[in-house]
Amino acid sequence: MSSPDDLRWMRRALTLAARGRTSPNPMVGAVIVNQGRVVGEGYHRQVGGPHAEVWALREAGRKANAATLYVTLEPCCHQGRTPPCTEALIQAGLRRVVAACLDPNPQVDGRGIRRLRAAGIAVEVGVMERDARRLNAAYFKHTTTGLPLVSLKAAMSLDGKIATTTRESKWITGGPARAVAHRLRATHDAVMVGVNTVLADDPRLTVRKASGKAPLRVVVDSRARTPPTARLLRTDDRPPVIAVTAQAPQARCQRLMQAGAEVWRVPSRGRRVHLRALMKRLGKAGIQSVLVEGGGTLAASALEERLVDRVYFFIAPRIIGGAKAVTPVEGAGVKRLAQAWRIQSLRVRRVGEDLLVTGEIAG
């Protein structure tokens, strides 16, 4: 069982790790403690930059000798963009290393721990492991399956409508909720919508209300119906991907490419884009996390193909009504309650006048 001190310092390391924006690398935090005092700490800030352990060692200097390192992920033991952290830790004279979890990267995956133990350093693994895995859930899923972590986001009324019967949807939620949604985009590698959302709302899909890098914008558009004049094609962000099937007319695809889009032809499932095939291609392109924003048909397909890992549902304190008003998840739905997708690790918080309900799809 972990000691109170181990939990305390690992919690600090996790807090530091969350500051990084390092995709496709994992977020890592490190704290060096000597005789009950923090002598050095750091986190992995950006791809290609020093790892968390290196920042902590630089701050600690000679005080790292005989100290304990708390790190949220197993230290690397291979030469990548930076030298192996294990060698720096050994040279610093650390007495003990406490790691939250192993690194699933085949180049590491226990080798870092074995290297430290071979050098005489005491190593403990598993302190706050669940928290560490949750923090880097996208990295873990992508590394082990090749697929990105998929989050499903929706903004709806209290009675579960995302638009009126006339398809008016701006704005159901308030400004604070929309700002949070922009920050959510900034934490994902890609944001995905269906073509009906593009036709109805003409979104830009940017992160203008949040700091962070712009995600890759992906439109699921089996027949290439996205207008070449769409606003998402007229921004300074990276070119969007329009995912089409073999049924998309070549002339439409050509116009979209001339307008600046990347057009990907992917396999179809029925008459629609095969989402799992699209996710696999995104994973091969280094995309570790995807935020699915709309609309209801796309959300239903993502759920039916068992691609969704997390949900972010904003609920506004208003009632829209209407049997034919648009809902966040359409499709055929389930026939029995036992087949419904269950949400676990449920969390609810207030965002302005709205509520944000988050959770994970039960396995």
Side-chain angles (χ1 to χ4, degrees):
M1 187 172 179
S2 303
S3 71
D5 281 344
D6 284 350
L7 294 172
R8 174 189 179 187
W9 300 125
M10 187 61 76
R11 194 172 292 114
R12 172 60 182 167
L14 286 165
T15 300
L16 289 169
R19 296 179 182 177
R21 289 293 175 264
T22 56
S23 181
N25 288 357
M27 294 178 282
V28 182
V31 176
I32 298 176
V33 178
N34 199 334
Q35 297 182 348
R37 296 181 58 186
V38 174
V39 295
E41 61 182 26
Y43 63 95
H44 188 32
R45 303 178 185 185
Q46 60 187 17
V47 175
H51 288 187
E53 300 95 319
V54 173
W55 285 113
L57 288 172
R58 287 179 181 177
E59 187 174 298
R62 294 181 178 178
K63 294 178 181 178
N65 185 57
T68 296
L69 167 73
Y70 295 88
V71 63
T72 58
L73 190 69
E74 175 184 8
C76 67
C77 55
H78 65 288
Q79 177 71 47
R81 291 187 178 94
T82 58
C85 290
T86 51
E87 303 314 301
L89 298 175
I90 293 167
Q91 292 173 15
L94 285 164
R95 176 182 63 85
R96 180 173 176 245
V97 170
V98 180
C101 57
L102 298 178
D103 187 339
N105 182 340
Q107 292 181 293
V108 188
D109 197 16
R111 292 181 177 84
I113 299 301
R114 291 194 292 272
R115 173 68 183 118
L116 294 173
R117 285 174 173 159
I121 297 175
V123 181
E124 182 177 347
V125 181
V127 176
M128 298 190 71
E129 180 173 2
R130 178 179 294 182
D131 299 82
R133 285 179 169 272
R134 183 179 291 118
L135 177 69
N136 279 309
Y139 172 76
F140 273 84
K141 182 178 180 182
H142 183 261
T143 301
T144 56
T145 69
L147 291 169
L149 181 89
V150 178
S151 302
L152 176 61
K153 173 253 175 184
M156 71 188 78
S157 62
L158 193 61
D159 58 334
K161 311 295 184 181
I162 63 173
T164 67
T165 54
T166 61
R167 303 194 74 87
E168 181 186 352
S169 60
K170 294 183 179 179
W171 298 101
I172 289 177
T173 54
R178 296 197 296 276
V180 170
H182 277 242
R183 291 199 292 273
L184 192 58
R185 286 178 185 171
T187 63
H188 287 74
D189 293 337
V191 56
M192 179 182 292
V193 298
V195 66
N196 288 333
T197 296
V198 174
L199 295 174
D201 300 335
D202 195 17
R204 283 179 285 185
L205 302 178
T206 60
V207 293
R208 59 193 180 279
K209 293 184 180 180
S211 60
K213 70 175 184 179
L216 174 67
R217 294 162 299 157
V218 182
V219 179
V220 180
D221 183 5
S222 58
R223 290 179 290 152
R225 292 188 294 144
T226 299
T229 56
R231 291 200 300 171
L232 59 83
L233 291 167
R234 304 200 309 270
T235 67
D236 294 329
D237 294 330
R238 58 201 290 192
V241 167
I242 312 296
V244 305
T245 65
Q247 286 71 43
Q250 182 58 38
R252 291 183 191 172
C253 296
Q254 190 64 37
R255 285 194 291 270
L256 288 171
M257 288 187 285
Q258 289 172 349
E262 291 184 31
V263 176
W264 289 5
R265 287 194 184 270
V266 297
S268 59
R269 188 176 189 232
R271 300 177 63 184
R272 297 195 176 105
V273 167
H274 195 313
L275 278 188
R276 183 168 291 272
L278 175 57
M279 292 297 181
K280 285 182 178 179
R281 182 162 176 178
L282 288 168
K284 287 182 180 178
I287 298 298
Q288 292 189 353
S289 56
V290 176
L291 179 66
V292 175
E293 288 207 9
T297 300
L298 178 62
S301 295
L303 285 164
E304 288 166 2
E305 294 192 39
R306 300 190 178 279
L307 293 168
V308 179
D309 300 287
R310 294 176 174 176
V311 296
Y312 296 85
F313 277 26
F314 294 87
I315 303 174
R318 60 177 70 190
I319 296 173
I320 292 176
K324 295 184 179 180
V326 188
T327 61
V329 181
E330 297 183 342
V334 300
K335 295 181 179 180
R336 295 185 295 112
L337 285 176
Q339 298 172 320
W341 295 277
R342 298 186 63 85
I343 310 301
Q344 61 188 14
S345 302
L346 198 68
R347 296 176 294 280
V348 181
R349 70 182 176 101
R350 187 85 173 260
V351 182
E353 293 184 347
D354 307 311
L355 295 178
L356 172 58
V357 179
T358 64
E360 300 169 359
I361 300 290

